[in-house]
C-alpha cells in the first residue's frame, strides 16, 4: 500500500531570546522519519519536550510560535508540504489533514455555535454543500455518541461538558472527510472515567471512516489501545519505531522498556496497627452559597502510613485537604490530630499545630515565589518554625537538598532554572523542613512525565521510611494508589464511597463507582479497550 | 468642557470591566452585590430572576445604575454652579450695580430662595424637559439648546459614521499585516494624529484645503436656510478634524484587543482549518474582542458630542460647546446647568449602551447553560 504521509529526516528549529544574551537557535527535532499508510494509526509517544506536538503539526505544515521546519521533507500523497505556497498549505489544512487539540474547551470559539464550527472547514474548502455538511455532522455526532445529536450543533461550547467538547472536536476534524487526522493528546485533560468513552468514540470513528491518524500522547497504555504503529521520541530524536506489539511486548531500547514498565511499582500495605495520627469525623464542608462540596466524610490515617484519596475532578478530594489544613473550616464534624482535637480554622491553630501538617501542591511552579532562590524557599520554614539563621540554616538547607537527592549546588538557583521534577522535589524539601508528621500531597505527580513522576514517588516512599512521616496522597491515578498506599479512600461527588486497607478497597466485591473507576484505568495491554467495552455491552445486555 | 466629560470616565469603565468578565458566575454574583437598594429589598425574587434570565437582569441593573448616576451628577452640577465665584447680577449690571439693584435682580431670578428648593424645582423641570429661562436672554433654555444640540449631533453623527468603521477596519488591517509595513504606516499616521492638538489639526486642514487649495468651506457656520448639501460641505473640515482626533484611539484599541485574541487556541484551530487571514480575524477573533472595543468606541462617541468645544470654536460652528462657554462667561447659570446635565446624560447613556452591547455580545450570558 502506498504511504499517505511520509516524513523523512525532519529537522525543526526555534529561536529563543534569553534575556541579556544574543538570540540562540535551538534544535527541537532532528533526524525523525516515519510513514503512515492509508487508514492506519501511528502513535507518537514521549515525555514533554520530546517534540511530539511539534512533529504532529508538521503534517499541517504548521509551526507554533517561532518554530520553523528547517530540514527534511513531509510528503502527503507524494507532494512535499514544505514546498507549498501559503495558499497551497491552506488547501491542505482542514481539508486533507485535520487537527484535534488537547484542550477542546480552549480550541472551540466561544462566540459561535458548535455546529457552525464543525462544518466551517467543509464549506470553506468547497468540499460539500451546507445541507450535505450538516447531514455529515449529524452522522458524526451519532457515531461519536453525543447526546441529542439533532440539536447538539445548536449549542455553544460553554453549554456542553469537557468530554462532549473533545468528541465534538473529533467530529469537526472528521467532517471534511480528511485523509489524515492529528490527535494531539485528546484525552489527557479528561477524567479517567470520561477518557475511556472518548477513546472508544475516537477509535470507533476512525474505523468507521477509514481515516489515517497520528495519535500523540505521553501515555503508552492509551496509545496501545488505538494505534497500529508506535514511534517513541525523546529530546526530539527517535528512540524506537515499530508495531504496537513490538514496542509493548519486546521493547529493544532501555528508554522504551522504562516507559513500558513505569507503572510496575507496587507495594504491599503495612498493617494498620500503629497509633492513629489523623482522624476526620463526619466532615461536611461547602461554600457560603449553600453548595456542599463534602458530605459526612469520615476517615483516619495511622502514623507513618499513606492514605490515598482517589476520585475524579469535582469529587471533593482537594477540598478535603483544604478542610484538614484549616483553609476551609468545615460546617460540621471534627478533626483530631495525634489524639487532640484540631481547631477548625487556620487562625485558631498554634504555630506548632501548623508545623505538624504541611502540604505539597500539584503545580510546584505556582506554589513557589519565582523571585526567591531555593535557599530562601527551603530556608523560610526553618526560620519561621525553628528560628534558624546563618550557618546553621545553610547547613540544614544543604542536608535537606541531599535528602531529596539534589545536592547543595542547587541552593542558589531560582525556580525558573529547574525542571518540573526538580521543582516538585524542592517543594517536598520545603515541606520536610518543618519536620511535619503529616504531609498532604495534592496530585504532586499528575503534571509530571511518567518517569519523573515515578522518581518522585520513590523519593516520597524513601522519605517515609527515614522520617516516619504520614502522607495523605490525593490522586486520580489508580496506578499510584497501588504503588504507594496503605489505605485508600474513594470519593465521588463529595461523598466517601469506599474506605479501608488497600487490599480490601481494590478487590471485589466492588460498589458501582469503584468498579467503573478501576475498569476505566487503561492497562498496558493490547486489546484492553475492546475487552472493557465488550464486558460493558454484556452487562448492559444482561440488565 | 473637554475636561468635564472624561472626569466621569473611570467610574463608568470600572463598572464596565466588572460586567465584561467572562465568568458568568462572577457577573451574576456582582448583580446582588452592586444592585440598587430597591433591588436588594427583594433578594429572593431578584436572585431567582438573575439566574433564570441573567441577560435581562444585567441590562435592568445597568439601566438602574445609569439613572442613579445621572441623579448624582445633577447634584454635582448644581452644587458646582452654586460654588462658582462671581454673581450673575453683578456681572449683568456692571458699573451700575447698587446693592438695591442687585437685590432686585436676585429676587427676580428666585435666588433668594434656599438652594434645596431651587434644586428640586430645577430638577423637576429638567425631568419634564423644561430647563427654565436664560437669565441673559430671557428666552427658554430648552428651545435655544434644541437647535444647538441638533447642530452638535449633526457634526458628531458624521464624524462617527466615518471614524468608527474606519478605525475598526484599519485595526483589523493592522492585525493582518502586524509588524509589517502597512501596520507601521497605520500606526505612525494615527499616532501623529493623536499627538497633535485638535486646534492645530484644524488650522492645518484650513490652511491646506480652504486657503491653499480652496476646495473646502470656511468658516463652518451653518444656518437654518442651508440645504443638506451646503451643510455637509460646511462641516467637511470639522468632521475631518474630529475623525483624525478620535481615530487613533479606537484603531489602536481594536488592534490590541484583536491581537490579544489572536494568540488563543481557537484562532490556531481556525488557522489549522485552512481559513484565510482576514476571515480568521473577522469571524473568529473580532467577535471575542468586541467588549473592549465597544467601550472605547462609546468613550469616543461621547467625546464627539461632549468634547468638541475646541473644534467648534476653531471652525466657528454653532454647537452646544460654544453655547456653554458663552454662558459660563456671563454666569448664565440655567444654561450652564442645562448643558452640563445634557452632556452628562450623553456620556452616561452612551457608556450604558456600550456596557449593554458588551453584555449582549457575551454568548455565556446570551445562552445560559
Amino acid at each position: 500500500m502506498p504511504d499517505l504521509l511520509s516524513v523523512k529526516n525532519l529537522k525543526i528549529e526555534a529561536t529563543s531570546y534569553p534575556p541579556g544574551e544574543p538570540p540562540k537557535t535551538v534544535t527541537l527535532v532532528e533526524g525523525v522519519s516515519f510513514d503512515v499508510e492509508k487508514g492506519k494509526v501511528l502513535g507518537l509517544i514521549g515525555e514533554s519536550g520530546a517534540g511530539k506536538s511539534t512533529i504532529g503539526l508538521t503534517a499541517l505544515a504548521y509551526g507554533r510560535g517561532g518554530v520553523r521546519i528547517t530540514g527534511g521533507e513531509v510528503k502527503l500523497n507524494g507532494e512535499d508540504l514544505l514546498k507549498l505556497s501559503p495558499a497551497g498549505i491552506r488547501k491542505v489544512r482542514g481539508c486533507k489533514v485535520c487537527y484535534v487539540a488537547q484542550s477542546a474547551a480552549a480550541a472551540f470559539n466561544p462566540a459561535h455555535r458548535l455546529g457552525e464550527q464543525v462544518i466551517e472547514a467543509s464549506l470553506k474548502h468547497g468540499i460539500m454543500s451546507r445541507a450535505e455538511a450538516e447531514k455529515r455532522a449529524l452522522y458524526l455526532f451519532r457515531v461519536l455518541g453525543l447526546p441529542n445529536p439533532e440539536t447538539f450543533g445548536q449549542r455553544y461550547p460553554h453549554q456542553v461538558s469537557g468530554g462532549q467538547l473533545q468528541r465534538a472536536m473529533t467530529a469537526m476534524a472528521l467532517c471534511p472527510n480528511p485523509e489524515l487526522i492529528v490527535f494531539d493528546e485528546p484525552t489527557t485533560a479528561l477524567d479517567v472515567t470520561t477518557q475511556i468513552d472518548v477513546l472508544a468514540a475516537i477509535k470507533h470513528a476512525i474505523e468507521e471512516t477509514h481515516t489515517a491518524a497520528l495519535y500523540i500522547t505521553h501515555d503508552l497504555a492509551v496509545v496501545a489501545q488505538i494505534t497500529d504503529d508506535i514511534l517513541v521520541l525523546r529530546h526530539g530524536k527517535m528512540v524506537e519505531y515499530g508495531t504496537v506489539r513490538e514496542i509493548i511486548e519486546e521493547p529493544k531500547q532501555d528508554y522504551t522498556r522504562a516507559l513500558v514498565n513505569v507503572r510496575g511499582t507496587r507495594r504491599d500495605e503495612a498493617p494498620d496497627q500503629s497509633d492513629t495520627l489523623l482522624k476526620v469525623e463526619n466532615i461536611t464542608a461547602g461554600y457560603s452559597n449553600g453548595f456542599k462540596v463534602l458530605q459526612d466524610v469520615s476517615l483516619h490515617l495511622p502514623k507513618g502510613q499513606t492514605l490515598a484519596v482517589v476520585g475524579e475532578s469535582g469529587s471533593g478530594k482537594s477540598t478535603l485537604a483544604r478542610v484538614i489544613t484549616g483553609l476551609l473550616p468545615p460546617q460540621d464534624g471534627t478533626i483530631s490530630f495525634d489524639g487532640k482535637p484540631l481547631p477548625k480554622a487556620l487562625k485558631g491553630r498554634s504555630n506548632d499545630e501548623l508545623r505538624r501538617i504541611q502540604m505539597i501542591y500539584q503545580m510546584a511552579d505556582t506554589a513557589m515565589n519565582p523571585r526567591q532562590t531555593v535557599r530562601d524557599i527551603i530556608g523560610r520554614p526553618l526560620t519561621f518554625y525553628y528560628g534558624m539563621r546563618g550557618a546553621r540554616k545553610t547547613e540544614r538547607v544543604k542536608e535537606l537538598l541531599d535528602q531529596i537527592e539534589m545536592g547543595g549546588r542547587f541552593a542558589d538557583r531560582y525556580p525558573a532554572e529547574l525542571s518540573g521534577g526538580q521543582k516538585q522535589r524542592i517543594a517536598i524539601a520545603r515541606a520536610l523542613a518543618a519536620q511535619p508528621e503529616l504531609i498532604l500531597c495534592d496530585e504532586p505527580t499528575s503534571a509530571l512525565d511518567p518517569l519523573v513522576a515515578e522518581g518522585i514517588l520513590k523519593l516520597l516512599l524513601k522519605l517515609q521510611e527515614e522520617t516516619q512521616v504520614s502522607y495523605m496522597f490525593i490522586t486520580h491515578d489508580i496506578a499510584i494508589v497501588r504503588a504507594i498506599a496503605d489505605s485508600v479512600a474513594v470519593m465521588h461527588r463529595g461523598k466517601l464511597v469506599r474506605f479501608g486497607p488497600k487490599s480490601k478497597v481494590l478487590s471485589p466485591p466492588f460498589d458501582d463507582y469503584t468498579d467503573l473507576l478501576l475498569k476505566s484505568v487503561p492497562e498496558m495491554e493490547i486489546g484492553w479497550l475492546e475487552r472493557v467495552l465488550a464486558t460493558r455491552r454484556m452487562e448492559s445486555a444482561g440488565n | 468642557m473637554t475636561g468635564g466629560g472624561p472626569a466621569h470616565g473611570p467610574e463608568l469603565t470600572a463598572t464596565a470591566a466588572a460586567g465584561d468578565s467572562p465568568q458568568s458566575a462572577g457577573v451574576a454574583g456582582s448583580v446582588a452585590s452592586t444592585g440598587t437598594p430597591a433591588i436588594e429589598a427583594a433578594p429572593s425574587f431578584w436572585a431567582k430572576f438573575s439566574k433564570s434570565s441573567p441577560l435581562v437582569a444585567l441590562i435592568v441593573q445597568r439601566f438602574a445604575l445609569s439613572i442613579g448616576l445621572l441623579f448624582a451628577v445633577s447634584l454635582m452640577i448644581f452644587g458646582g454652579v452654586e460654588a462658582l465665584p462671581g454673581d450673575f447680577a453683578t456681572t449683568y449690571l456692571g458699573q451700575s450695580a447698587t446693592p438695591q439693584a442687585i437685590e432686585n435682580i436676585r429676587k427676580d431670578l428666585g435666588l433668594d430662595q434656599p438652594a434645596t428648593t431651587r434644586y428640586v424645582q430645577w430638577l423637576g423641570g429638567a425631568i419634564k424637559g423644561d430647563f427654565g429661562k436664560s437669565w441673559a436672554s430671557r428666552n427658554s433654555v430648552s428651545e435655544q439648546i434644541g437647535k444647538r444640540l441638533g447642530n452638535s449631533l449633526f457634526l458628531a453623527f458624521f464624524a462617527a459614521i466615518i471614524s468608527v468603521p474606519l478605525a475598526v477596519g484599519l485595526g483589523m488591517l493592522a492585525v493582518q499585516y502586524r509588524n509589517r509595513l502597512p501596520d507601521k504606516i497605520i500606526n505612525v499616521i494615527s499616532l501623529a494624529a493623536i499627538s497633535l492638538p485638535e486646534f492645530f489639526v484644524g488650522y492645518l486642514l484650513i490652511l491646506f484645503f480652504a486657503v491653499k487649495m480652496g476646495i473646502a468651506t470656511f468658516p463652518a457656520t451653518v444656518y437654518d436656510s442651508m440645504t443638506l448639501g451646503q451643510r455637509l460641505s460646511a462641516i467637511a473640515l470639522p468632521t475631518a478634524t474630529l475623525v483624525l482626533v478620535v481615530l487613533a484611539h479606537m484603531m489602536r484599541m481594536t488592534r490590541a484587543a484583536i491581537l490579544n485574541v489572536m494568540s488563543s487556541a481557537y484562532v490556531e484551530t481556525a488557522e489549522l482549518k485552512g481559513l484565510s487571514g482576514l476571515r480568521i480575524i473577522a469571524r473568529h477573533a473580532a467577535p471575542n474582542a468586541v467588549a473592549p472595543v465597544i467601550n472605547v468606541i462609546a468613550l469616543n462617541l461621547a467625546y464627539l458630542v461632549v468634547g468638541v468645544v475646541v473644534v467648534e470654536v476653531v471652525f466657528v460652528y454653532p454647537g452646544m460647546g460654544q453655547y456653554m462657554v458663552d454662558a459660563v462667561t456671563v454666569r448664565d447659570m440655567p444654561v450652564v446647568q442645562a448643558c452640563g446635565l445634557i452632556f452628562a446624560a450623553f456620556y452616561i447613556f452612551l457608556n450604558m449602551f456600550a456596557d449593554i452591547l458588551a453584555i449582549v455580545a457575551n454568548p455565556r450570558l446570551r445562552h445560559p447553560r
Side-chain angles (χ1 to χ4, degrees), chain A residues 57 62 64 90 93-94 99 106-113 117 120 124-125 156 158-159 172, chain B residues 265-266 268-269 271-277 279 283-285 287-288 363-364 366-369:
Chain A
L57 285 168
Y62 185 79
R64 237 177 224 156
R90 277 209 295 278
R93 290 179 186 164
Y99 180 72
F108 271 108
N109 193 324
H112 300 296
R113 292 177 198 275
Q117 301 192 50
E120 185 179 19
K124 277 294 131 189
H125 290 292
Y156 280 86
H158 69 271
Q159 293 174 314
M172 184 156 85
Chain B
Y266 52 80
E268 185 181 276
T269 307
E271 210 161 327
L272 293 177
K273 277 181 183 172
L275 306 179
S276 67
R279 184 178 165 89
R283 183 164 165 82
H284 286 278
N288 295 292
R364 285 168 196 273
R366 228 174 335 130
H367 306 276
R369 285 184 84 103

Side-chain angles (χ1 to χ4, degrees), chain B residues 179-200:
Chain B
N179 299 333
R180 309 215 312 255
L181 197 63
D183 181 28
K184 284 177 182 158
I185 293 174
I186 292 173
N187 267 327
V188 166
I189 293 180
S190 61
L191 273 180
I194 208 175
S195 310
L196 295 174
E198 49 200 289
F199 64 85
F200 189 68

Side-chain angles (χ1 to χ4, degrees), chain A residues 136-285:
Chain A
R136 179 157 172 84
L138 179 60
Y139 160 75
L140 289 169
F141 291 157
R142 282 218 179 90
V143 170
L144 287 158
L146 285 162
N148 306 321
E150 288 81 14
T151 55
F152 186 80
Q154 299 294 315
R155 318 196 74 182
Y156 280 86
H158 69 271
Q159 293 174 314
V160 305
S161 74
Q164 289 169 5
L165 271 183
Q166 207 68 50
R167 279 181 271 175
M169 183 111 203
T170 307
M172 184 156 85
L174 283 164
C175 187
N177 246 324
E179 293 170 68
L180 179 73
I181 298 185
V182 179
F183 290 94
D184 194 350
E185 308 234 15
T187 63
T188 307
L190 303 175
D191 272 318
V192 68
T193 47
T194 319
Q195 164 173 287
I196 186 169
D197 293 332
V198 175
L199 268 185
I202 289 177
K203 186 174 174 118
H204 178 57
I206 290 175
E207 280 166 3
E208 191 90 338
T209 54
H210 309 290
T211 311
L214 275 181
Y215 197 99
I216 298 165
T217 176
H218 66 270
D219 191 340
L220 201 52
V222 164
V223 91
Q225 309 312 320
I226 219 159
T227 65
D228 302 296
D229 297 318
I230 292 180
L231 170 60
V232 182
L233 293 158
R234 191 181 196 193
H235 305 320
K237 297 202 174 72
M238 294 170 69
V239 175
E240 201 165 348
Y241 180 30
T243 63
V244 173
R245 203 159 290 283
E246 284 165 359
I247 300 286
I248 303 281
E249 289 172 6
E250 300 147 8
K252 293 189 184 65
Q253 303 293 323
D254 289 344
Y255 180 67
T256 317
R257 262 197 291 277
L259 279 184
V260 173
N261 296 324
V262 71
R263 285 158 173 237
T265 337
R266 290 198 185 195
R267 194 181 79 147
D268 291 331
E269 69 198 46
D272 180 5
Q273 53 195 198
S274 49
D275 298 338
T276 301
L277 178 70
L278 175 77
K279 198 171 168 100
V280 171
E281 279 172 301
N282 310 102
I283 286 288
T284 295

Side-chain angles (χ1 to χ4, degrees), chain A residues 397-460:
Chain A
V397 167
K398 198 183 161 295
E399 254 174 59
L400 285 163
L401 282 172
D402 287 338
Q403 225 175 348
I404 56 162
E405 297 158 359
M406 279 175 71
R409 68 202 162 87
F410 283 94
D412 290 312
R413 300 242 194 130
Y414 286 94
E417 297 169 307
L418 303 172
S419 72
Q422 287 169 340
K423 277 181 238 183
Q424 199 56 278
R425 280 169 192 259
I426 298 298
I428 293 171
R430 176 173 62 181
L432 278 183
Q435 300 186 22
E437 281 149 70
L438 171 64
I439 300 183
L440 306 172
C441 311
D442 192 354
E443 307 235 17
T445 58
S446 59
L448 301 173
D449 288 313
L451 291 178
V452 182
E454 191 171 68
I456 296 282
L457 292 182
K458 282 186 177 147
L459 174 69
L460 287 171

Side-chain angles (χ1 to χ4, degrees), chain A residues 352-539:
Chain A
D352 196 51
E353 279 167 337
L354 294 178
R355 179 191 65 77
R356 295 166 80 177
I357 303 179
Q358 295 292 315
M359 198 148 175
I360 308 172
Y361 301 88
Q362 179 174 1
M363 307 303 281
D365 250 336
T366 51
M368 281 188 234
N369 187 338
R371 297 259 172 195
Q372 285 185 348
T373 60
V374 166
R375 184 194 308 279
D376 296 331
I377 290 169
I378 302 180
R380 174 72 188 143
L382 294 176
T383 312
F384 183 74
Y385 293 118
Y386 296 103
M388 283 190 201
R389 280 175 211 289
R392 249 184 89 216
K393 182 165 142 187
T394 311
E395 185 55 29
R396 179 76 182 125
V397 167
K398 198 183 161 295
E399 254 174 59
L400 285 163
L401 282 172
D402 287 338
Q403 225 175 348
I404 56 162
E405 297 158 359
M406 279 175 71
R409 68 202 162 87
F410 283 94
D412 290 312
R413 300 242 194 130
Y414 286 94
E417 297 169 307
L418 303 172
S419 72
Q422 287 169 340
K423 277 181 238 183
Q424 199 56 278
R425 280 169 192 259
I426 298 298
I428 293 171
R430 176 173 62 181
L432 278 183
Q435 300 186 22
E437 281 149 70
L438 171 64
I439 300 183
L440 306 172
C441 311
D442 192 354
E443 307 235 17
T445 58
S446 59
L448 301 173
D449 288 313
L451 291 178
V452 182
E454 191 171 68
I456 296 282
L457 292 182
K458 282 186 177 147
L459 174 69
L460 287 171
L461 289 178
K462 187 195 89 172
L463 294 172
Q464 186 166 50
E465 255 169 49
E466 288 171 11
T467 63
Q468 287 303 302
V469 65
S470 301
Y471 297 126
M472 186 175 113
F473 199 102
I474 295 167
T475 179
H476 63 268
D477 190 340
I478 298 288
I480 293 179
V481 177
R482 291 209 172 98
I484 64 159
D486 298 301
S487 52
V488 181
V490 181
M491 308 241 341
H492 184 47
R493 298 193 180 152
K495 290 194 179 119
L496 189 69
V497 291
R498 212 170 159 89
F499 173 63
K502 174 165 68 178
S503 55
K504 276 211 185 111
V505 169
L506 297 187
S507 47
F510 293 121
D511 58 285
D512 289 350
Y513 179 71
T514 310
D515 191 40
L516 175 69
L517 192 66
L518 289 177
K519 278 193 183 149
S520 303
V521 182
E523 280 172 33
M524 196 83 68
E525 196 184 302
I526 301 160
W528 165 83
L529 184 63
E530 281 85 354
R531 233 180 37 243
V532 175
L533 295 176
T535 32
R536 272 201 195 174
R537 269 194 290 278
M538 271 163 60
E539 278 167 9

Side-chain angles (χ1 to χ4, degrees), chain B residues 308-325:
Chain B
V308 292
V309 59
V310 176
V311 172
E312 285 181 6
V313 171
V314 168
F315 288 95
V316 202
Y317 186 79
M320 280 270 282
Q322 228 183 8
Y323 185 48
M324 184 172 177
V325 172

Side-chain angles (χ1 to χ4, degrees), chain A residues 65-97:
Chain A
V67 168
R68 295 180 312 273
I69 304 163
T70 49
E73 51 179 42
V74 181
K75 280 192 174 162
L76 186 74
N77 288 324
E79 186 181 28
D80 194 346
L81 297 183
L82 305 181
K83 296 204 172 82
L84 288 177
S85 65
I89 289 173
R90 277 209 295 278
K91 286 204 188 90
V92 172
R93 290 179 186 164
C95 177
K96 291 183 184 143
V97 188

